[in-house]
Amino acid sequence: MTDEQMRYPIGKFVPPVTYITEDITRWINEIHILPGKIRNAIMTLTEAQLNTQYRTGGWTLRQVVHHIADSHMNSLTRFKLALTEDNPTIKPYDEAGWAIQPDYRLPVEPSLRMLEGIHQHMVALFESFTENEWNRTFIHPASGSVMSLKKNLALYAWHGNHHLAHLTETIKKF
């Protein structure tokens, strides 16, 4: 794959036109199994391999793993805000700034454990949602867009698979 193809190895996120039960079930399952897929993909990597960029100018595989945990932690918070407040405005964060913090040099195990716990919480919430809860919303201040929880589910199922592909496509080169 070229560097440009590696930027979006599974394509850019395209919001669904409709949200049917089968899709919601599939996205919940993708969230459920993502931590294991990431762990399995990287478990045999050396420190040097974890410190390899997935594309020129991109993050290292280590940074990608830490980012997934941080991003999904933020997503869980957004879900809970939307469940407990009326159309709240969420707080964005500087992903690139987070990726250069000292904790992104840690071994990946703490982030894998975080991701496992975060995803257990997410799945427990998602499996309890009614249609009303899936239709709850939050506002993203960067774009001003209103995001439903079912759209956010689709986005984060895509997000996990997007970064998993960064890992697996890079590993193929080793």
Side-chain angles (χ1 to χ4, degrees):
M1 293 183 126
T2 66
D3 274 1
E4 188 54 35
Q5 290 169 321
M6 278 300 290
R7 187 173 200 153
Y8 293 99
I10 65 169
K12 292 184 178 183
F13 175 69
V14 177
V17 176
T18 61
Y19 296 85
I20 60 173
T21 302
E22 292 81 8
D23 288 335
I24 289 173
T25 300
R26 179 173 44 84
W27 296 324
I28 293 170
N29 187 57
E30 288 174 9
I31 293 284
H32 177 73
I33 65 176
L34 180 70
K37 284 185 162 188
I38 291 172
R39 182 178 291 282
N40 287 337
I42 66 167
M43 63 191 294
T44 62
L45 297 183
T46 65
E47 289 297 306
Q49 290 170 325
L50 284 168
N51 292 326
T52 301
Q53 292 178 321
Y54 72 87
R55 67 178 176 84
T56 304
W59 289 337
T60 66
L61 300 187
R62 179 185 314 278
Q63 287 172 305
V64 169
V65 173
H66 292 310
H67 163 73
I68 298 167
D70 281 345
S71 177
H72 290 215
M73 173 180 64
N74 276 281
S75 180
L76 177 59
T77 300
R78 292 168 182 179
F79 276 103
K80 287 193 170 193
L81 286 170
L83 289 170
T84 59
E85 299 176 21
D86 187 30
N87 198 34
T89 299
I90 57 95
K91 180 157 180 23
Y93 71 103
D94 178 1
E95 294 176 358
W98 285 38
I100 59 172
Q101 297 306 309
D103 63 325
Y104 272 51
R105 293 190 294 273
L106 284 170
V108 295
E109 184 60 29
S111 285
L112 291 172
R113 289 193 312 254
M114 279 177 57
L115 194 62
E116 288 164 355
I118 290 163
H119 280 224
Q120 283 181 318
H121 280 261
M122 285 178 150
V123 170
L125 284 173
F126 300 158
E127 289 178 342
S128 75
F129 278 11
T130 64
E131 186 63 28
N132 181 53
E133 288 158 329
W134 283 121
N135 289 325
R136 293 189 65 87
T137 59
F138 62 81
I139 299 168
H140 198 294
S143 63
S145 65
V146 175
M147 174 81 80
S148 71
L149 294 189
K150 59 189 167 188
K151 182 177 178 182
N152 202 45
L153 169 67
L155 173 63
Y156 272 85
W158 171 87
H159 183 262
N161 289 323
H162 164 72
H163 286 303
L164 176 62
H166 286 147
L167 299 170
T168 57
E169 291 300 321
T170 303
I171 290 166
K172 289 178 185 176
K173 300 175 190 174
F174 297 146

